[in-house]
């Protein structure tokens, strides 16, 4: 899983907030949550989720028996906060929607990945569509669509996630570093591979340069376009004939 | 300039409409208009623009003295139709917004490229930002951001425009063939280089394959990620410490 850290309240108020949280119980369950959208709602959800763990509530992230029920639990937290804040935010036309990614594994289950919608309902990644995105998804989707399948080696997937985020950062200033990245190996129940790439991180600079070279090389190596020289061959002039 | 041809009224009603129109007066002025957004508004604008040419109105696309005034003229046509239809469309919450690209050259002027907003106001491309996009812009923007500068050779720009549209088609079913492409050479006042690429066009298949290979090769050649192995080195566990 990979996330950026930029939050904005309009272009004139940009700040940095982590959007990836490790809520694992090492050895037992590995749980990563990423968020996008309304910062007040998503912070509220994460604080309440964590409070339940600290208070050892009967139902918390470390006791709920399976990932499906955890997705529902997070969706319900989001609904709780919306019930409380929504009328006030709606009055001023403020977007309070917020999405979550929930990924990881509980002992006895396969690894799973969920996307929890602002309405609290959720979907799961499948072999046919093995990745999920939230937030500013479009700039980075083409690179994922071209490269990620269920069979892609996990190290390649991690690189591709970085490239996808880097493409998005390049095209949209509302997405920015640090980038957080975790790579979870199934059945390890440890989050051994994690990374935070800050502004100017040499690795980011390196992959950006390599990627730009590849993109340039790709279109330079494209076969020349065979233009239609004779205007009359075209069906184009539908207005001027 | 490049455009796709897919129009939809919801995912259950997809159809094909050309979105690029050659309204040149060969030898005198080269004018290409592309549209996105509401089909009824943009068809209306193009019909009225063309009707003025046919009727030899004093002020039409072949008589207006400069590109800036043509941009204003198209913006005004868009406003006319909106004035007429807007109350009816607003009643049912229908999006009637529509954008235009206007590109070309009038004798005595430099080539110019404008983007006309749904409100009828407009901006012009400049050396710092030499390309403009309308419609489903995000999927195809990273590739343009990485490759297009004011100095890029025009044949490379044309290839890049195709790749950008192809990336968008791959990620969004509301964008689809045929793709129309024109490449105008400054001071030629002829539209000699044009192309319509239909579904299954070998050139599209070829560049898609080449591009996918390049993308794969790019991330395979990326240096391996240097993971942080020790969880305690990370500042991540802000909730669980």
């Amino acid at each position: 899983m990979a996330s950026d850290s930029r939050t904005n309240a309009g272009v004139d108020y940009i700040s940095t907030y982590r959007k990836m949280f490790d809520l694992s119980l090492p050895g037992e369950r590995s749980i990563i949550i990423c968020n996008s959208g309304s910062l007040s709602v998503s912070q509220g959800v994460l604080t309440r989720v964590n409070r339940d763990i600290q208070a050892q509530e009967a139902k918390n992230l470390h006791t709920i028996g399976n990932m499906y029920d955890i997705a529902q639990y997070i969706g319900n937290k989001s609904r709780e906060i919306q019930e409380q804040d929504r009328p006030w935010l709606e009055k001023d036309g403020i977007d309070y929607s917020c999405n979550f990614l929930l990924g990881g594994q509980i002992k006895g289950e396969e690894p799973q990945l969920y996307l929890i919608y602002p309405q609290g309902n959720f979907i799961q990644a499948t072999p046919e569509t093995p990745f999920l995105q939230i937030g500013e998804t479009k700039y980075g989707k083409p690179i994922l669509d071209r490269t990620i399948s269920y069979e892609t080696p996990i190290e390649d997937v991690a690189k591709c996630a970085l490239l996808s985020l880097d493409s998005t950062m390049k095209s949209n200033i509302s997405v920015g570093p640090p980038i957080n990245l975790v790579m979870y190996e199934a059945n390890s129940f440890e989050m051994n591979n994690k990374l935070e790439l800050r502004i100017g991180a040499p690795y980011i600079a390196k992959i950006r340069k390599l990627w730009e070279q590849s993109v340039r090389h790709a279109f330079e190596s494209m076969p020349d376009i065979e233009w239609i020289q004779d205007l009359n061959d075209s069906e184009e002039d539908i207005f001027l004939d």
Side-chain angles (χ1 to χ4, degrees), chain A residues 17 48 51 59 67 99 101 103 121 140 153 166-167 170 194 211-212 222 231 241:
Chain A
Y17 288 92
R48 287 173 189 220
R51 211 164 53 180
K59 202 176 160 182
M67 287 293 273
N99 290 280
L101 289 179
N121 57 333
D166 189 53
S167 281
K170 171 98 178 172
K194 46 169 60 181
W211 178 243
E212 288 189 359
M222 273 170 62
L231 277 173
D241 280 350

Side-chain angles (χ1 to χ4, degrees), chain A residues 177 197-205:
Chain A
L197 294 165
R198 297 179 176 277
I199 272 180
Y203 188 77
I204 285 282

